[in-house]
Amino acid sequence: MPLMSPAAAILYVVATPIGNLGDLTPRAQAVLKSVAAICAEDTRHTRPLLAHYGIDKPLVALHDHNEEALSARIVERLRAGESLALVSDAGTPLVSDPGFRLVRAARAAGIQVSPIPGACAAIAALSVAGLPSDRFAFEGFLPAKSSGRRERLARLAGATATLVFYESSHRIEESLTDMVAVFGGERPAVVARELTKLFETVLDGTLDSLLAQVQADPNQRKGEFVVMVQGAVDDEAAQIAEGRRLYAKLSEHLPPSTAAKLAAELSGAPRKALYGQSSS
Ligand code: SAM
């Protein structure tokens, strides 16, 4: 009789709610019901979520401290044909959460790793911030100490993409204070707090005004936060736009080479970016 090889197992990376229990997608529910076991960052946290959906599965605790050691054993189970799920305490695993070592090990072993997408605080926050979102840089948590935090922020000060940070109630005020110091108080920013929960708040304004609001109201320092800061103005792009505008005007009265020279001098833009360009 031919040997039956076990069905190819899948490691599902499953997003769970970031507050509102209703945000576990129907597909996530179906997958969690179908797998042999669920690897969870904190089983005490995941059990009530599963109970809410009537899901009864063995849980394997997989967190930052045991992930490296446990990954090989979990990969063995997958190799033996058991499909498994990975969840974290909230939102999408691997986003400021454990899981990357397990996913790396599973992929290296040729196991299919399949995402079950859903809530993610960074993306939820960005979707309601009203800041430019065509380019954004997810920076996760800043260092806990002010010196390290300011150093990290200084490296980001010239970045032109919208910056997205995670922050906790312990440090929201200190982090905003450091952002004002490094980015300047005038930078537009948004603080999204307790998304999908009872006290959801999304504040926008300059960094100065947001810090003042957080300092004035103790409630604005409670809960979980995503802080988004608009990127630095792209100086070169602004200079070129101004240079082209000047060139278009000046070239109505001057030879093109003279108009380009003057426009470059006045705007600071490189001359070759202006010469022969129209303002449109
Ligand atoms: N994996 C999660 C995700 O997909 O968003 C993030 C986990 S990270 C350990 C937890 C941080 O995410 C919190 O400190 C906070 O910065 C942010 N966060 C999580 N839930 C949030 C919520 N409901 N509102 C605002 N921020 C939240």
Side-chain angles (χ1 to χ4, degrees):
M1 222 168 92
L3 278 177
M4 297 278 287
S5 60
I10 298 176
L11 173 63
Y12 294 101
V13 180
V14 182
T16 59
I18 56 169
N20 190 317
L21 284 184
D23 289 338
L24 189 72
T25 69
R27 199 157 84 91
Q29 294 171 45
V31 162
L32 293 174
K33 281 179 182 157
S34 77
V35 291
I38 300 168
C39 304
E41 182 183 5
D42 183 343
T43 55
R44 289 164 306 177
H45 196 99
T46 299
R47 240 180 262 287
L49 174 73
L50 297 180
H52 180 83
Y53 284 98
I55 300 169
D56 184 18
K57 288 286 168 180
L59 295 182
V60 178
L62 183 100
H63 40 73
D64 277 334
H65 306 292
N66 70 356
E67 187 182 346
E68 193 74 61
L70 214 59
S71 290
R73 293 227 306 267
I74 294 171
V75 168
E76 272 323 301
R77 288 184 70 169
L78 290 157
R79 271 193 210 275
E82 283 188 303
S83 284
L84 302 171
L86 169 69
V87 300
S88 62
D89 284 356
T92 302
L94 281 80
V95 178
S96 289
D97 267 342
F100 104 85
R101 296 177 194 87
L102 173 60
V103 168
R104 183 176 57 185
R107 296 186 62 82
I111 305 285
Q112 183 184 347
V113 183
S114 186
I116 307 295
C120 173
I123 300 301
L126 204 58
S127 74
V128 294
L131 290 172
S133 52
D134 52 334
R135 286 173 55 240
F136 63 90
F138 175 65
E139 288 294 326
F141 289 98
L142 285 163
K145 286 195 185 145
S146 183
S147 56
R149 200 158 51 221
R150 287 191 182 208
E151 216 171 279
R152 173 87 57 87
L153 291 172
R155 273 191 264 132
L156 296 170
T160 52
T162 293
L163 301 169
V164 182
F165 302 95
Y166 280 166
E167 199 44 274
S168 71
S169 55
H170 311 295
R171 282 195 280 274
I172 184 66
E173 191 181 341
E174 289 86 339
S175 281
L176 286 172
T177 302
D178 287 343
M179 287 177 188
V180 167
V182 177
F183 296 152
E186 286 307 305
R187 219 31 118 93
V190 175
V191 175
R193 183 177 78 95
E194 294 289 88
L195 294 174
T196 76
K197 304 187 208 176
L198 189 59
F199 296 110
E200 176 179 291
T201 327
V202 180
L203 302 175
D204 62 60
T206 60
L207 279 171
D208 261 342
S209 72
L210 291 168
L211 174 61
Q213 288 179 76
V214 165
Q215 283 173 331
D217 180 358
N219 285 325
Q220 293 305 329
R221 300 197 287 274
K222 290 182 186 154
E224 300 189 283
F225 299 83
V226 181
V227 179
M228 292 153 288
V229 182
Q230 189 164 310
V233 173
D234 187 339
D235 285 340
E236 199 186 16
Q239 282 176 340
I240 290 173
E242 174 63 1
R244 287 180 180 174
R245 191 187 68 77
L246 289 170
Y247 174 77
K249 275 273 160 235
L250 293 169
S251 59
E252 287 171 12
H253 309 285
L254 297 168
S257 61
T258 313
K261 186 169 178 289
L262 271 177
E265 266 176 37
L266 291 170
S267 64
R271 191 168 149 187
K272 65 177 181 334
L274 311 179
Y275 193 68
Q277 302 280 341
S278 72
S279 60
S280 61

